[in-house]
Amino acid sequence: MDARGSPRLHAGGDERTEHAADIVLTLSTLGAVPTIATGWADWSNTRGQARRTGLIHGALNEAAFFLNAGSVVARRRGRRRLGKVLSGGALGLALAGGFLGGQLVYGHGIGVGQTLTRPQG
């Protein structure tokens, strides 16, 4: 805050906005842990091309997770620019992983309660 009680502005925005972004990034990164575990459990019941696609999907999303975890650490150490670069890279990987996730659901019929009962490619 400046002398008038207004948030300090700098190149990335004000302090409150950056603090809120840090909180959201931290919570969403922590929330990804059970999602990763569930994904690997689903993947363990796949076969064929669906298994290969799932492996790449999982690897991309886990790499995104680790980049976001690195971003959280960098931001806490005051290296905001590095943190933003890491989370930007994570976004790109998550987009690619999400595309493959769509392939798994709509192309291979992988889904909750359907993995073993529907044909997979």
Side-chain angles (χ1 to χ4, degrees):
M1 298 280 190
D2 66 13
R4 296 176 299 189
S6 298
R8 271 186 268 175
L9 295 175
H10 47 85
D14 69 45
E15 288 177 354
R16 291 180 300 179
T17 301
E18 290 192 349
H19 180 68
D22 292 350
I23 290 171
V24 170
L25 179 64
T26 301
L27 292 175
S28 61
T29 301
L30 290 172
V33 173
T35 304
I36 291 169
T38 302
W40 284 118
D42 283 348
W43 176 81
S44 70
N45 291 317
T46 59
R47 310 177 285 284
Q49 182 61 42
R51 189 169 185 82
R52 291 184 289 277
T53 301
L55 182 63
I56 296 166
H57 164 76
L60 288 169
N61 286 319
E62 281 198 32
F65 167 79
F66 284 114
L67 286 177
N68 275 331
S71 177
V72 169
V73 170
R75 290 166 189 247
R76 287 181 183 259
R77 292 182 177 169
R79 300 192 62 199
R80 297 202 66 75
R81 182 180 212 97
L82 175 60
K84 290 176 183 181
V85 168
L86 291 172
S87 61
L91 175 61
L93 291 174
L95 287 170
F99 173 80
L100 291 177
Q103 292 292 101
L104 289 168
V105 172
Y106 298 108
H108 297 290
I110 304 300
V112 177
Q114 300 176 33
T115 303
L116 295 176
T117 60
R118 292 189 62 189
Q120 299 173 24

